[in-house]
Amino acid sequence: GLAIVRMDGWEGKCGFIDQNFNEIIPPKYEDIIYRNGLISVSLFDKWGLFDRFGNEIIPPKYDIICSFNCGLATVSLNKKWGYINRTGMELIQPTYSNAYSFCEGLGAVCLNGKWGFIDHSGIELISLIFDDVQPFSDGLAEVKLNGKWGFINQKGEIKIAIKYDEVCHFYNGTARVAMDGKWSTVDRIGNLVQ
């Protein structure tokens, strides 16, 4: 096991120690987060990564490092978003105005106010044409166009009409949708479920 150690009280610098109290990461960082087997550290409002043995993967340089999902983490640098892998390699350079974590093999990205989806190599698989999107869940993603929501599949095909005022993500084959203030449940092809 590993534990965060903080020097000089709650506001002091922090590091990491192992179960034998051996220093893994020196207590010189402003904040530390352990997740997905990696340690995110903050120094001068920049974030970097260490492995659980204390080896630096990325020096603190990013404004934000999100959790890893599907082998990639969303990162922000100078208000632009991209993706890194667990070795710290920038697989998709921070060029997007916004980005969400990869889910089901696709990452949601925004450029010039329009959203779409890319694969792990940065290839745009679903055109950036939507006003908003949410990550894929159960093979479908919520998409917004002209103030209304619907669902697309991983090929970008509209599977449930873009006509709802609000939608929730799919879970176990159904999703909640709202139209004119009335909520109902739909299946994966848009049929109402009792």
Side-chain angles (χ1 to χ4, degrees), residues 17-179:
I17 58 172
D18 66 16
Q19 61 193 14
N20 297 318
F21 302 101
N22 296 314
E23 184 178 276
I24 302 298
I25 297 175
K28 66 177 188 177
Y29 297 98
E30 296 155 0
D31 202 0
I32 286 188
I33 301 170
Y34 182 74
R35 57 185 174 206
N36 303 104
L38 295 173
I39 303 162
S40 299
V41 298
S42 171
L43 186 63
F44 305 114
D45 295 322
K46 297 292 182 183
W47 287 88
L49 276 180
F50 283 83
D51 66 19
R52 62 187 180 94
F53 303 107
N55 300 310
E56 186 178 69
I57 297 170
I58 303 170
K61 71 174 192 175
Y62 292 106
D63 302 319
I64 298 171
I65 299 177
C66 298
S67 293
F68 280 85
N69 202 7
C70 295
L72 299 179
T74 312
V75 294
S76 174
L77 181 63
N78 300 321
K79 298 183 180 180
K80 297 291 182 186
W81 292 84
Y83 297 89
I84 60 171
N85 66 13
R86 294 178 68 83
T87 66
M89 182 185 302
E90 276 184 5
L91 294 185
I92 300 161
Q93 301 238 335
T95 56
Y96 295 98
S97 55
N98 204 345
Y100 297 148
S101 293
F102 268 75
C103 287
E104 299 185 11
L106 296 176
V109 294
C110 180
L111 193 60
N112 300 321
K114 293 296 181 179
W115 286 86
F117 291 88
I118 59 173
D119 68 9
H120 280 78
S121 60
I123 295 171
E124 187 179 300
L125 295 183
I126 298 173
S127 298
L128 280 67
I129 60 170
F130 299 102
D131 300 328
D132 199 359
V133 299
Q134 291 299 312
F136 277 88
S137 174
D138 267 9
L140 298 174
E142 301 135 79
V143 295
K144 185 177 187 180
L145 197 57
N146 300 320
K148 298 293 182 180
W149 288 90
F151 294 88
I152 61 170
N153 66 12
Q154 292 186 338
K155 294 178 182 176
E157 300 166 334
I158 296 171
K159 296 312 266 183
I160 298 176
I162 301 173
K163 65 180 183 178
Y164 297 99
D165 300 322
E166 295 180 67
V167 295
C168 297
H169 68 275
F170 266 84
Y171 179 74
N172 287 334
T174 63
R176 299 282 292 155
V177 296
M179 185 183 293

